[in-house]
Amino acid sequence: MKNHIIKYLERLDSMTFKHSVRVMMISSEIEEYMGVLDHKLMNAALLHDIGKIYIPHSILDKNGRLTKLEREMIDLHPYLGYVILSDLGVNEDICRIVLYHHGFSPLCIRELSHYDSSLIYQKASILRTIDSFEALTSDRAYHRGLPSKEAIDVLLSEKNYDATAMEYLKKTAGESGLKESFVRRNGKDLSVESVEELIEGMEL
């Protein structure tokens, strides 16, 4: 299973792969901040965009307004990720955190079940907050990254955030990044080889 996951991650474009790794790092920090030990949030964070392997790079990297169809294609990626990970036999909690990390689309609602718990929804909400924050603060083809404090203001204005994640981000954010964060302290992205080693040690 883990070999298949590594192969899927290697198929992601460089921007999405690096974004996923940074979201995973921040998720790990927030788990530590919350005293959470199961690492399901961290593991889901690394895998949250795996469904984007089926989205054309021309759409993911588009420097301009997306068409309605292009937006709908991108919006499919949480569900595609859920299907991929479920088929590989990944832990159901991790799969469902990935499924709900952009909220409840019609496809997500179709998968709602008695299996879900408030804890899954909370972790998906935390992941959505971190995902949005990292995207806002990183340079993309279609925008320059914002300073952390500006990104926090955007999330607050849109009310698209989890209170615990936002508490952590506000606590650690400086003008140019997360002052106390491993992500910024480290100053570089993890290599593909390091990520592969990390996956080997994960409980999936």
Side-chain angles (χ1 to χ4, degrees), residues 41-59:
L41 171 62
M42 183 188 85
N43 296 348
L46 178 62
L47 305 175
H48 77 282
D49 274 348
I50 207 165
K52 286 186 176 178
I53 61 170
Y54 294 117
I55 312 298
H57 290 186
S58 59
I59 296 177

Side-chain angles (χ1 to χ4, degrees), residues 31 52 72 85-86 91 117 119 127 158-159 162 189 196 204:
E31 282 185 327
K52 286 186 176 178
E72 288 176 349
L85 298 173
S86 293
N91 176 277
S117 68
L119 195 56
L127 178 53
E158 295 177 349
K159 297 182 172 53
D162 172 83
D189 295 303
E196 288 177 358
L204 297 171

Side-chain angles (χ1 to χ4, degrees), residues 82-161:
Y82 169 76
V83 172
I84 291 168
L85 298 173
S86 293
D87 286 349
L88 290 176
V90 172
N91 176 277
E92 186 68 12
D93 284 358
I94 295 172
C95 293
R96 289 186 170 272
I97 294 167
V98 169
L99 176 65
Y100 302 134
H101 83 270
H102 275 301
F104 298 97
S105 70
L107 280 174
C108 293
I109 291 172
R110 194 178 74 178
E111 297 295 335
L112 287 171
S113 77
H114 65 280
Y115 181 87
D116 295 325
S117 68
S118 59
L119 195 56
I120 289 174
Y121 298 145
Q122 181 196 24
K123 290 184 178 183
S125 178
I126 292 171
L127 178 53
R128 180 165 61 255
T129 303
I130 303 166
D131 184 24
S132 298
F133 175 82
E134 204 291 319
L136 286 167
T137 55
S138 294
D139 291 338
R140 298 293 179 92
Y142 43 87
H143 75 72
R144 293 284 296 171
L146 297 173
S148 293
K149 289 185 177 180
E150 288 185 29
I152 288 170
D153 287 342
V154 170
L155 293 176
L156 289 171
S157 69
E158 295 177 349
K159 297 182 172 53
N160 183 32
Y161 63 89

Side-chain angles (χ1 to χ4, degrees), residues 20-38:
S20 299
V21 171
R22 288 192 290 266
V23 171
M24 175 197 70
M25 289 175 174
I26 300 173
S27 297
S28 175
E29 293 169 6
I30 289 180
E31 282 185 327
E32 183 176 351
Y33 177 70
M34 296 173 64
V36 174
L37 302 176
D38 62 18

